[in-house]
Amino acid sequence: APFRTFTHWVAWNIEVKGSEVEVPKGVPRDSDLMRQGVNDFGRVGYDGPCPPKGHGEHHYHFRVFALDTEISVEDGAKR
């Protein structure tokens, strides 16, 4: 986004199996695999990038935090 950081997805308490984490494509907004918050589209879950035509090149950065405990945050929380 040309004027600010845009959040496409907020997710936490993602289910871990062994030493790996896999988030399936198309994970539903009400999935039991994780908790999800409100993105900058104003919706819960993931919404992919779709820059408006004529906006030029967009850059995407991913920020991931790995915690050794679950966190107590209600579904639908904002970043």
Side-chain angles (χ1 to χ4, degrees):
F3 303 109
R4 65 182 179 95
T5 299
F6 194 90
T7 301
H8 292 273
W9 198 14
V10 178
W12 61 96
N13 294 348
I14 299 170
E15 184 177 308
V16 177
K17 294 180 180 179
S19 61
E20 297 182 11
V21 174
E22 182 177 330
V23 177
K25 183 178 179 179
V27 65
R29 297 182 196 288
D30 62 349
S31 172
D32 289 335
L33 299 175
M34 67 187 72
R35 308 284 41 98
Q36 298 180 75
V38 175
N39 58 35
D40 283 346
F41 290 98
R43 298 185 289 255
V44 171
Y46 175 75
D47 283 296
C50 187
K53 289 186 179 193
H55 267 234
E57 186 175 306
H58 281 223
H59 301 275
Y60 298 91
H61 304 271
F62 299 87
R63 191 176 305 176
V64 178
F65 299 93
L67 307 177
D68 63 355
T69 188
E70 288 190 7
I71 58 174
S72 296
V73 176
E74 296 292 324
D75 288 342
K78 293 184 178 181
R79 176 173 65 120

